[in-house]
Amino acid sequence: MQSNFSFSLWCDFIEREFLEKDFSKMVAGDVVKGATSNPIIFQQALSKDSYKKQKEELKGKNKKEIYETLAKSDIQRAAEILLPLFKNNPNDGYVSLEVDPNLCDDAKATIEEGERLFQEINYPNVMIKIPATKAGYEAMEALIAKGISVNATLVFTKEQTISCMEAFKKGYEVLKTQSNRAIKDYPRAVVSVFVSRLDRKCDTVLKQNNLPTATLGIKNAQYLYHIINNYELPCVRTLFASTGVKGNDLEPSYYIKELYHTHSINTAPLHTIEAFMQVNDLQEAYLPSVEKLEEYYKNIQEAGIDLEMVCKELIEQGLEDFKIAFAKILESL
């Protein structure tokens, strides 16, 4: 492996007891260098007994306020654990908190909530997570310009990727003209490219056409990775998300190994991270050229897969899943 190879593994899970026990050990042991959360993760976490006491103390408050107080407590603790990493290397040591998914089409409200959450959490190594929608791009640009790090989520397409990168580029240009910060002190951004969901949706059709399965998500992610890197924005990296496998057909660390690329992050669930830590003789993954990947897309199209339509459905489903999880959180409080 070349000495300048830069890869980070982040944990796609947050829960109070986990933060105090396993997560702290994983960070101290240089296993993971960051963490992410989303409404589905918090829906699962907040049902645990470890939140019972704080919930009792917050009774009588408005439900969204209760949720935010619980979530901010966990994000602050994760940020505190990760802070030494961040101070040593400002490209790592981040924890992400997503804005209310119901704001995905309201740029102004997303900007206001993102800024407010960042200020209330009051840690420099927090990323505000924003879905890659039209309103989201406007919010991403505004938050970067304000010096707030951003995680662009639910990215599946070339158009989304370019829109995210253009938003970040403009945000950094504003920041450059309005502040005297050195680049090392700029906010960071990641583009969260979702991987395995594409395979789960399309593998049956690929198999029927004698095309390799568990491949489309990887090839698509690599194509978007090329686009992100071609922008040459030093403070932006590709984050490969949705990299857990379902069922027993693939080894648990499959997507991490296949997307083990320099200047990238992989955010994975716990069991995937545990499996990855057992991998010996890890090699940098093969990265096809843009031309080869475009040729692959043609084969997919000939097999009858309308990738644009598939991605549109996955984006809509992802937004809906987050909204449902958020509603269930509020209902439970």
Side-chain angles (χ1 to χ4, degrees), residues 149-323:
S149 295
V150 172
N151 180 336
T153 191
L154 281 176
V155 175
F156 290 92
T157 70
K158 176 181 179 179
E159 290 70 27
Q160 283 181 300
T161 304
I162 290 171
S163 296
C164 289
M165 296 305 291
E166 288 294 327
F168 293 144
K169 184 180 174 184
K170 289 174 188 170
Y172 286 122
E173 285 168 357
V174 172
L175 189 67
K176 186 178 179 180
T177 60
Q178 294 184 355
S179 87
N180 296 317
R181 294 185 189 211
I183 287 180
K184 68 179 179 64
D185 298 322
Y186 274 22
R188 267 36 180 186
V190 296
V191 180
S192 289
V193 176
F194 278 49
V195 183
S196 64
R197 294 186 190 196
L198 263 177
D199 289 341
R200 291 200 290 274
K201 195 164 180 69
C202 298
D203 270 358
T204 302
V205 176
L206 294 177
K207 193 172 183 179
Q208 288 166 354
N209 284 271
N210 296 316
L211 288 169
T213 57
T215 305
L216 174 55
I218 291 164
K219 302 285 191 192
N220 187 64
Q222 289 172 324
Y223 186 69
L224 303 186
Y225 169 78
H226 272 298
I227 293 170
I228 293 162
N229 287 347
N230 285 342
Y231 268 84
E232 296 184 337
L233 292 180
C235 299
V236 183
R237 282 192 290 174
T238 306
L239 185 154
F240 298 116
S242 175
T243 54
V245 303
K246 301 291 182 187
N248 300 315
D249 294 342
L250 301 169
E251 59 177 308
S253 60
Y254 172 74
Y255 286 106
I256 302 182
K257 291 199 297 183
E258 291 295 317
L259 290 167
Y260 190 64
H261 296 307
T262 191
H263 196 57
S264 76
I265 302 160
N266 197 302
T267 177
L270 283 177
H271 67 278
T272 305
I273 292 171
E274 288 161 1
F276 180 67
M277 296 324 297
Q278 304 307 312
V279 174
N280 295 314
D281 192 28
L282 186 64
Q283 299 293 320
E284 182 176 357
Y286 167 66
L287 179 65
S289 67
V290 170
E291 292 74 23
K292 282 192 177 294
L293 291 166
E294 286 175 344
E295 189 179 318
Y296 173 81
Y297 282 138
K298 285 179 186 172
N299 294 336
I300 294 301
Q301 190 176 10
E302 286 168 8
I305 291 176
D306 183 341
L307 193 57
E308 188 178 333
M309 182 59 68
V310 167
C311 289
K312 184 173 182 287
E313 289 171 3
L314 286 169
I315 294 162
E316 288 172 356
Q317 186 62 58
L319 289 169
E320 188 60 24
D321 288 345
F322 286 163
K323 288 176 185 177

Side-chain angles (χ1 to χ4, degrees), residues 33-178:
K33 296 183 177 181
T36 58
S37 68
N38 63 45
I40 295 171
I41 288 170
F42 270 120
Q43 184 200 346
Q44 295 164 349
L46 296 179
S47 64
K48 302 289 174 64
D49 287 344
S50 49
Y51 296 87
K52 198 173 178 181
K53 185 183 174 189
Q54 194 179 10
K55 281 182 185 176
E56 289 292 328
E57 292 168 354
L58 295 167
K59 267 192 173 172
K61 291 188 180 289
N62 134 348
K63 289 191 173 186
K64 186 170 177 181
E65 190 178 347
I66 296 173
Y67 157 72
E68 283 191 0
T69 304
L70 295 168
K72 284 186 294 187
S73 295
D74 283 2
I75 296 295
Q76 285 171 322
R77 182 62 185 126
E80 182 181 28
I81 293 166
L82 289 162
L83 195 57
L85 271 180
F86 169 80
K87 286 181 174 176
N88 183 54
N89 175 7
N91 291 316
D92 276 316
Y94 289 91
V95 57
S96 297
L97 176 63
E98 189 154 345
V99 293
D100 181 338
N102 295 295
L103 304 179
C104 63
D105 295 317
D106 187 335
K108 184 173 181 287
T110 298
I111 294 164
E112 288 172 354
E113 180 159 296
E115 191 171 9
R116 175 178 61 79
L117 289 171
F118 182 78
Q119 289 172 349
E120 289 172 358
I121 293 166
N122 198 28
Y123 275 86
N125 55 327
V126 169
M127 282 185 163
I128 299 300
K129 202 179 213 185
I130 299 173
T133 63
K134 188 177 179 183
Y137 308 135
E138 189 179 330
M140 292 171 199
E141 178 184 338
L143 292 183
I144 287 290
K146 291 173 185 287
I148 297 171
S149 295
V150 172
N151 180 336
T153 191
L154 281 176
V155 175
F156 290 92
T157 70
K158 176 181 179 179
E159 290 70 27
Q160 283 181 300
T161 304
I162 290 171
S163 296
C164 289
M165 296 305 291
E166 288 294 327
F168 293 144
K169 184 180 174 184
K170 289 174 188 170
Y172 286 122
E173 285 168 357
V174 172
L175 189 67
K176 186 178 179 180
T177 60
Q178 294 184 355

